[in-house]
Amino acid sequence: MLFSRTRPLSVVRIVQTQVIQRSFWGWLNAVFNKVDHDRIKAVGPDRAASEWLLRCGASVRFQGFDKWQKDYNHLPTGPLEKFKIEAIDATESCIMSNGFDYLDYLEHVEKIKFERCIYIQDECLERLCRIEHLQKSLQSLEIISCGNITDRGIISLHHLKNLSYLFLSDLPGIEEKERTLQVLQKALPACEVQADLQ
């Protein structure tokens, strides 16, 4: 009896199914991140950004409120100027750089947390740092377990001149840890930088 070196047909089908599922979710996440400029004009930047973030699995906290908004269907209604995003928790969300246009006109964001965000890359941080309003308002940033972030993305944070707290943890893409942290601390002397980059 001859032994076949090829995989059994059932294993091939399972692998094909997994590839199709990954492709489908990647496509769906890209759709969730597509920027709707007409929606931004219609409801304002904070409401449109809230809808984008919640649709992608993130949560937001509005200025003057303690409660985090996590459910897209329970976003508050009322005067648009009443609900300004103050904090963003993007933990395990599917936000991507092409959705970052939603952040362009947010004037009150003080805190952002990226944790286990598989689509966050250096380009996202570079884009974030070019947003003029965030350069002024952002005070606290946490980047945890985002495997696509490298030294280049972290160094780009030096543009966030009002940053007072930066927490970096479990970022395997950072290769020159000491040098990268020195560059940041020199550029942002008033910022408390905490790093757990073993």
Side-chain angles (χ1 to χ4, degrees):
M1 178 174 175
L2 294 174
F3 293 97
S4 172
R5 291 184 183 220
T6 61
R7 291 182 179 176
L9 189 56
S10 60
V11 173
V12 171
R13 285 190 181 135
I14 290 170
V15 171
Q16 287 174 336
T17 301
Q18 290 173 340
V19 169
I20 290 170
Q21 287 175 342
R22 281 191 207 126
S23 298
F24 171 75
W25 287 113
W27 171 82
L28 186 60
N29 291 335
V31 169
F32 283 167
N33 280 276
K34 186 173 185 209
V35 178
D36 184 346
H37 294 283
D38 291 334
R39 183 72 178 155
I40 295 171
K41 289 176 187 170
V43 299
D46 289 272
R47 175 64 188 217
S50 299
E51 292 173 357
W52 164 62
L53 289 161
L54 270 62
R55 191 170 51 239
C56 291
S59 54
V60 298
R61 192 179 71 231
F62 295 111
Q63 211 173 34
F65 293 83
D66 294 328
K67 182 182 174 187
W68 285 88
Q69 294 294 320
K70 300 177 182 182
D71 187 342
Y72 182 91
N73 295 314
H74 289 104
L75 275 170
T77 57
L80 297 176
E81 63 278 355
K82 181 179 177 183
F83 300 102
K84 303 294 183 187
I85 298 175
E86 182 177 66
I88 298 168
D89 184 348
T91 299
E92 296 183 344
S93 69
C94 68
I95 62 172
M96 299 175 175
S97 62
N98 53 331
F100 275 46
D101 284 3
Y102 280 111
L103 303 176
D104 281 342
Y105 303 102
L106 302 183
E107 298 179 8
H108 306 281
V109 178
E110 296 177 1
K111 180 177 182 174
I112 297 177
K113 180 179 182 180
F114 297 120
E115 183 171 357
R116 295 185 303 276
C117 299
I118 62 172
Y119 297 109
I120 293 293
Q121 303 171 343
D122 292 339
E123 294 77 18
C124 299
L125 296 184
E126 291 167 344
R127 173 74 174 90
L128 183 84
C129 295
R130 287 193 306 266
I131 298 172
E132 190 174 324
H133 292 300
L134 290 180
Q135 289 176 351
K136 295 175 184 174
S137 68
L138 193 62
Q139 298 171 18
S140 174
L141 179 61
E142 297 178 31
I143 306 172
I144 305 162
S145 301
C146 297
N148 296 320
I149 299 294
T150 70
D151 301 82
R152 189 182 99 208
I154 297 301
I155 288 173
S156 73
L157 301 177
H158 78 276
H159 293 290
L160 300 172
K161 297 297 184 190
N162 286 327
L163 207 58
S164 58
Y165 178 74
L166 175 63
F167 180 69
L168 305 171
S169 178
D170 187 26
L171 301 172
I174 298 179
E175 295 177 356
E176 298 181 39
K177 298 170 180 66
E178 289 180 25
R179 180 187 157 279
T180 298
L181 292 175
Q182 285 174 355
V183 168
L184 270 183
Q185 288 170 334
K186 186 176 181 182
L188 302 171
C191 182
E192 176 188 349
V193 179
Q194 291 188 358
D196 179 16
L197 301 172
Q198 302 301 329

